Amino acid sequence: MVVFGLDSPISVLAGIAATASAVIGVYIGYQAYRGLRRNDDPSMRWLSVGMILLFGLTYLLAVAGQGLIAFRVVPIHLQSVFRLLVRVTQVVGLGCIAYSLRVATTT
Amino acid sequence: MTDSDLATVLTLLDDEHVRSILAATSERPMSANELGEHCGLSTTSIYRRLDRLRDADLVAEQTRPRSDGHHEAVYVSRLNRFELAVRNGSLSWEIDRQQADIADQLTELWGRF
């Protein structure tokens, strides 16, 4: 992961941890999507969208942002724009998960 | 949870509707009504087969919330693989049963919060 900066073992570990959490988050999102397909449960739609936004999209945005800045495609002062995008995606994703708890039918 | 004997399993699998029920419920949980439509049978006939399949532990029952707030029973195939081997003068058979699907467990867990 060049984009996470290979300048220190710490940042390599941080990159690995970020990738692992993205993979696990998207896996749970995928199982929620299967739950929607198998059980027609609307709460699973929001849970899967939320998990994929919160872990998948934020990760992609962070990696893309760092990559574009590292390869000087995007000027460094736009870094804050990527940070903002990641934060907004996190809020929207969490909102979806919170909403999925609301629509979940209590058994 | 009985470990059914070979004859029971073979008798069940001999019925095309049973095979159709197993195939359909291996894809997603289905209610008796849905299975009735799927197989073109009355729900009575479906329930009779489901009872025998449950006794043989080849289908599992789950509950599913309905839009009207009630719950309905849905059925999932547990039969993953049925293997019959004839070797060295003896016959052996094995049933590989499916564990509960993660996606179904997640759906149920989420509904409990």
Side-chain angles (χ1 to χ4, degrees):
Chain A
M1 296 303 285
V2 166
V3 290
F4 285 107
L6 293 171
D7 45 358
S8 77
I10 302 272
S11 60
V12 172
L13 284 176
I16 291 171
T19 308
S21 65
V23 168
I24 296 168
V26 169
Y27 171 74
I28 297 173
Y30 164 70
Q31 290 300 349
Y33 170 74
R34 286 189 61 238
L36 166 72
R37 291 296 309 274
R38 287 173 61 95
N39 300 299
D40 292 328
D41 192 319
S43 71
M44 287 295 110
R45 176 179 297 123
W46 294 102
L47 178 62
S48 86
V49 168
M51 291 303 277
I52 287 164
L53 286 177
L54 190 58
F55 292 96
L57 190 64
T58 53
Y59 175 80
L60 285 180
L61 280 171
V63 171
Q66 294 216 23
L68 290 171
I69 286 159
F71 293 111
R72 304 220 158 71
V73 180
V74 170
I76 188 92
H77 69 262
L78 286 182
Q79 196 168 24
S80 53
V81 175
F82 275 102
R83 286 219 179 99
L84 175 68
L85 278 175
V86 168
R87 290 289 175 222
V88 169
T89 311
Q90 278 176 341
V91 168
V92 175
L94 271 175
C96 289
I97 294 174
Y99 184 70
S100 89
L101 279 172
R102 273 198 55 124
V103 295
T105 350
T106 41
T107 43
Chain B
M1 296 299 246
T2 54
D3 193 28
S4 47
D5 62 354
L6 181 58
T8 313
V9 175
L10 289 177
T11 310
L12 274 165
L13 292 176
D14 187 40
D15 178 352
E16 63 166 310
H17 298 302
V18 163
R19 295 197 298 271
S20 167
I21 288 171
L22 286 170
T25 57
S26 71
E27 200 174 23
R28 64 184 191 89
M30 287 170 92
S31 67
N33 284 334
E34 287 172 333
L35 284 167
E37 276 175 39
H38 178 83
C39 303
L41 289 176
S42 68
T43 41
T44 319
S45 313
I46 292 289
Y47 275 123
R48 205 169 33 231
R49 287 173 172 83
L50 283 173
D51 285 344
R52 284 160 55 209
L53 281 164
R54 270 229 315 259
D55 289 344
D57 197 22
L58 294 179
V59 297
E61 188 180 306
Q62 297 177 356
T63 53
R64 181 167 71 187
R66 271 200 323 234
S67 45
D68 63 2
H70 289 284
H71 284 76
E72 60 183 351
V74 287
Y75 301 89
V76 196
S77 165
R78 287 209 65 203
L79 179 60
N80 214 11
R81 190 186 172 83
F82 170 64
E83 200 175 66
L84 185 71
V86 186
R87 257 188 236 109
N88 307 327
S90 73
L91 190 143
S92 65
W93 61 285
E94 202 182 347
I95 286 189
D96 173 19
R97 287 184 172 85
Q98 187 90 7
Q99 291 310 306
D101 192 282
I102 290 182
D104 294 344
Q105 288 176 312
L106 180 66
T107 311
E108 198 199 343
L109 176 82
W110 211 243
R112 269 194 255 150
F113 283 132

